[in-house]
């Protein structure tokens, strides 16, 4: 029965290890293939917003028509990239905090796109003074609001990633503690069983040796008490 308990403890250790490792693996998969991807998409949008603004500002200060055309093309090229990233975020963001942050991004994106289109029209028309005034008074505040909303979106995903990482760490610590405790119990129990078995073998053998020595000395009056039916008990019985 003692060995059965040890086996049960070892099986329990294996089950705990496999279960907790699976949980850690799931959390790691979410971090790598979900949260990190969303953060990368949000950062891509942030980068493309900055690309748009740099292109528009360059278009405002440039005098060469080809340069202006090229910068405005950069501004226009960023729009579908941002839209694609937002579509992917809409399909994958499900947490209440993430949904709220994404909705805020979409809320301020409309005014931002409208403002960039107006600024682009002013640059294309060569109305630098009007464009500069619009940039400072209207465009920059709208841009800052949009970037702040994107930052909040990134932080919502970072928080989710940190929560999953903390949970994975807690799962690993819990598994380590439980497996260590079970291993200690199994080791102590196995040691106790080994000691008991060893004693059950060595004590009868010691008695048989003493009996043989007594008989060899010519004393045939020694009495033998056989208390077991195993091999050592049979040995003592043969010496009676």
């Amino acid at each position: 029965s003692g060995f059965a308990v040890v086996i049960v403890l070892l099986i329990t250790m294996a089950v705990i290890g496999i279960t907790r490792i699976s949980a850690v693996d799931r959390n790691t998969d979410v971090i790598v293939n979900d949260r990190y991807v969303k953060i990368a998409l949000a950062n891509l949008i942030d980068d493309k917003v900055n690309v748009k603004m740099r292109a528009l500002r360059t278009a405002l200060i440039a005098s060469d028509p080809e340069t202006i055309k090229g910068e405005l093309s950069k501004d226009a090229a960023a729009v579908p990239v941002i839209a694609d990233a937002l579509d992917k975020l809409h399909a994958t963001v499900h947490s209440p905090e993430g949904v709220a942050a994404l909705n805020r991004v979409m809320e301020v994106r409309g005014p931002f796109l409208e403002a960039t289109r107006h600024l682009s029209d002013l640059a294309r028309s060569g109305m630098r003074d009007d464009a500069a005034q619009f940039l400072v008074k209207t465009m920059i505040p709208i841009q800052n609001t949009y970037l702040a909303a994107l930052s909040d979106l990134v932080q919502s995903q970072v928080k989710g990633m940190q929560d999953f990482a903390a949970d994975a760490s807690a799962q690993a610590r819990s598994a380590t503690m439980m497996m260590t405790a079970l291993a200690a119990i199994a080791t102590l129990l196995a040691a106790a069983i080994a000691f008991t078995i060893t004693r059950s073998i060595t004590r009868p053998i010691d008695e048989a040796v003493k009996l043989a020595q007594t008989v060899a000395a010519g004393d045939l009056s020694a009495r033998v008490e056989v208390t077991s039916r195993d091999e050592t008990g049979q040995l003592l019985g043969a010496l009676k």
Side-chain angles (χ1 to χ4, degrees):
S1 60
F3 279 119
V5 174
V6 173
I7 292 173
V8 169
L9 288 174
L10 293 176
I11 293 174
T12 303
M13 287 174 56
V15 171
I16 291 174
I18 293 172
T19 302
R20 297 305 170 87
I21 290 173
S22 297
V24 172
D25 182 65
R26 287 193 298 272
N27 283 0
T28 302
D29 181 70
V30 171
I31 292 172
V32 174
N33 298 316
D34 182 75
R35 300 294 178 173
Y36 179 78
V37 173
K38 294 172 185 176
I39 292 172
L41 288 171
N43 284 328
L44 174 63
I45 296 171
D46 183 90
D47 178 66
K48 291 303 179 181
V49 168
N50 286 314
V51 168
K52 285 174 63 66
M53 293 310 302
R54 285 196 300 270
L56 288 172
R57 289 171 182 172
T58 301
L60 289 180
I61 62 176
S63 56
D64 177 49
E66 289 301 318
T67 300
I68 295 174
K69 181 180 179 181
E71 294 301 319
L72 293 179
S73 296
K74 292 179 183 179
D75 167 53
V79 174
V81 177
I82 294 174
D84 180 66
L86 286 171
D87 288 341
K88 291 178 179 177
L89 286 172
H90 271 295
T92 56
V93 173
H94 303 296
S95 67
E97 298 83 0
V99 171
L102 183 56
N103 287 339
R104 175 59 180 165
V105 168
M106 298 305 298
E107 178 184 338
V108 299
R109 179 172 179 255
F112 174 78
L113 289 177
E114 183 179 348
T116 55
R117 282 194 293 266
H118 183 63
L119 187 61
S120 176
D121 291 340
L122 292 175
R124 189 176 293 104
S125 301
M127 303 173 64
R128 293 188 179 182
D129 292 340
D130 291 342
Q133 186 176 9
F134 181 80
L135 174 67
V136 173
K137 292 185 177 180
T138 304
M139 185 74 254
I140 291 178
I142 292 176
Q143 175 194 354
N144 290 338
T145 301
Y146 191 28
L147 291 176
L150 288 170
S151 177
D152 290 342
L153 177 60
V154 170
Q155 289 306 311
S156 72
Q157 299 308 306
V158 168
K159 181 180 181 301
M161 186 166 64
Q162 291 172 340
D163 290 342
F164 275 101
D167 183 64
S169 179
Q171 293 272 6
R173 286 195 303 270
S174 174
T176 300
M177 293 174 61
M178 294 182 67
M179 292 176 70
T180 300
L182 290 173
I185 295 172
T187 300
L188 292 174
L189 184 58
I193 294 171
F195 177 78
T196 301
I197 293 175
T198 301
R199 290 282 291 173
S200 69
I201 295 174
T202 58
R203 287 184 65 183
I205 291 177
D206 287 341
E207 292 179 7
V209 171
K210 290 178 182 179
L211 178 61
Q213 290 173 343
T214 300
V215 172
D219 184 0
L220 302 177
S221 62
R223 296 178 60 85
V224 179
E225 292 185 7
V226 180
T227 58
S228 65
R229 295 183 180 179
D230 56 13
E231 288 79 359
T232 54
Q234 293 174 15
L235 173 63
L236 286 174
L239 293 174
K240 292 177 66 176

